[in-house]
């Protein structure tokens, strides 16, 4: 582990921000981030008192680093050791297991490089006993500018609108899958890109509220017909009686398709306006899916768009 001299001056707010950004990038799944944090905080139980690990990964990283920063005098050595250790990472085995490993590792490497640069500057500043006049930006401003949830959501909204405007619908359809993957990643739903079995093609899968869902997504000019849902229903049921599914059709579903699964369904449906409500910040993806699932459990219907939610 890289040794770091005990500082005589405060740690740069930008360094705290870079540590939070690196933690968000090097851990794809929040359970891995939780294990990492608990390991580092073994000798500091008060640091994790009443900390909520059930939220989004980005929120967990921010809360942990906020606690380090708010009690710098108590946790200064721990913060510096963690920054030094993380900044020296060169491999990311947890990310190698993912289908998008190449892009995820590139993102993680960039975040670690950014932290390393700030750690080096911090070390030089300590050695020279210089002040950090050029790093007076607040930690929160740095995090929101570089790693903010709202900024990422806004960028995804713009991507969605760009896909909607594209004349080449075949290309838009191909780009829709990685777009969905990024949306689900933002909400910590552990998505997988499309995969093939011996007898069928699955567009993808995700995890939500401890349940696994298989996902099929279409951005066609026409609405989805009943036979498309029949086929998806068979895919879901072949996975077992507890399997669930999400069928996404940006241009919606015909009345016949909605009627076919009005009283009994193993899957939920989503359409374009559902996504727009999420990307516009009107409700979270968690809330959207939770309401749809509750409606399906209570009524048996696969169809419950956000436009029908009470208060919307």
């Amino acid at each position: 582990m890289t040794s770091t001299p005990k500082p005589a001056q405060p740690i740069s707010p930008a360094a705290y921000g870079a540590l939070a950004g690196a933690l968000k990038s090097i851990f794809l799944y929040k359970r891995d981030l939780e294990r990492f944090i608990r390991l580092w905080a073994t000798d500091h139980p008060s640091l994790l008192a009443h900390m909520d690990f059930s939220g989004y990964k980005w929120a967990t990283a921010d809360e942990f680093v906020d606690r380090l920063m708010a009690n710098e005098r108590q946790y200064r050595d721990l913060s510096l050791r963690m920054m030094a250790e993380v900044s020296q990472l060169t491999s990311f085995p947890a990310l190698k297991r993912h289908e998008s490993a190449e892009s995820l590792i590139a993102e993680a490497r960039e975040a670690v490089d950014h932290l390393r640069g700030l750690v080096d500057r911090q070390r030089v500043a300590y050695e020279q006993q210089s002040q950090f006049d050029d790093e007076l930006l607040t930690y929160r401003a740095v995090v929101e500018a570089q790693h903010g949830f709202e900024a990422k959501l806004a960028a995804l909204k713009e991507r969605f609108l760009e896909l909607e405007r594209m004349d080449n619908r075949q290309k838009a359809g191909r780009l829709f899958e990685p777009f969905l993957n990024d949306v689900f990643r933002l909400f910590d739903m552990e998505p997988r890109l499309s995969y093939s079995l011996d007898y069928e093609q699955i567009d993808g899968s995700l995890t939500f509220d401890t349940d696994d869902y298989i996902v099929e997504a279409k951005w066609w000019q026409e609405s989805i017909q009943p036979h498309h849902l029949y086929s998806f229903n068979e895919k879901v049921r072949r996975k077992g009686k507890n399997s669930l599914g999400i069928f996404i059709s940006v241009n919606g579903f015909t009345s016949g398709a909605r009627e076919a699964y009005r009283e009994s369904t193993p899957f939920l449906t989503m359409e374009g306006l559902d996504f727009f409500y999420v990307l516009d910040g009107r409700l979270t993806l968690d809330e959207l899916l939770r309401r749809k699932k509750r409606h399906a459990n209570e009524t048996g219907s696969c169809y419950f768009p956000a436009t029908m939610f009470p208060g919307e």
Side-chain angles (χ1 to χ4, degrees), residues 95 98-109 181-182 185:
L95 300 181
H98 197 272
E99 290 84 350
S100 302
E102 184 176 350
S103 61
L104 292 173
I105 290 174
E107 179 182 321
R109 187 169 290 118
N181 190 60
D182 290 342
R185 273 185 59 203

Side-chain angles (χ1 to χ4, degrees), residues 20 23 27 32 35 46 57 61 74 77 127 138 154 162 171 185 192 219 224 241 246 260 263 266 268 276 289 302 310:
L23 293 179
F27 295 106
D32 293 334
R35 282 195 291 267
S46 61
K57 178 184 64 177
Q74 181 178 0
D77 288 344
E127 291 170 354
T138 63
E162 287 177 2
K171 180 178 180 181
R185 273 185 59 203
R192 289 183 59 193
W219 196 330
I224 293 300
K241 66 178 183 179
I246 300 175
E263 297 181 349
L268 311 177
F276 191 80
L289 293 181
C302 71

Side-chain angles (χ1 to χ4, degrees), residues 195-245:
Y195 58 94
S196 297
L197 301 177
D198 291 339
Y199 50 86
E200 64 187 21
Q201 170 75 25
I202 304 296
D203 282 2
S205 65
L206 59 85
T207 299
F208 172 63
D209 277 355
T210 71
D211 293 319
D212 292 325
Y213 292 77
I214 66 170
V215 179
E216 187 152 322
K218 307 295 183 187
W219 196 330
W220 293 346
Q221 292 183 337
E222 65 273 11
S223 300
I224 293 300
Q225 299 284 343
H227 67 273
H228 299 123
L229 294 187
Y230 295 153
S231 176
F232 184 60
N233 177 66
E234 289 305 308
K235 289 182 181 180
V236 176
R237 292 194 182 280
R238 278 200 292 267
K239 301 300 179 293
K241 66 178 183 179
N242 295 322
S243 296
L244 300 168

Side-chain angles (χ1 to χ4, degrees), residues 7-11 71-80:
Q9 301 176 22
I11 299 173
N71 298 280
E72 183 174 318
R73 179 171 296 183
Q74 181 178 0
Y75 303 124
R76 176 182 290 166
D77 288 344
L78 174 65
S79 298
L80 286 171

Side-chain angles (χ1 to χ4, degrees), residues 74-124:
Q74 181 178 0
Y75 303 124
R76 176 182 290 166
D77 288 344
L78 174 65
S79 298
L80 286 171
R81 286 190 290 108
M82 182 179 291
M83 289 177 185
E85 182 81 2
V86 173
S87 71
Q88 298 303 312
L89 291 177
T90 57
S91 63
F92 309 94
L95 300 181
K96 291 180 179 179
R97 302 193 299 266
H98 197 272
E99 290 84 350
S100 302
E102 184 176 350
S103 61
L104 292 173
I105 290 174
E107 179 182 321
R109 187 169 290 118
E110 180 179 357
V112 168
D113 288 346
H114 177 59
L115 175 62
R116 185 184 306 116
L118 291 171
V119 168
D120 290 343
R121 290 174 60 189
Q122 187 86 46
R123 185 180 295 111
V124 170

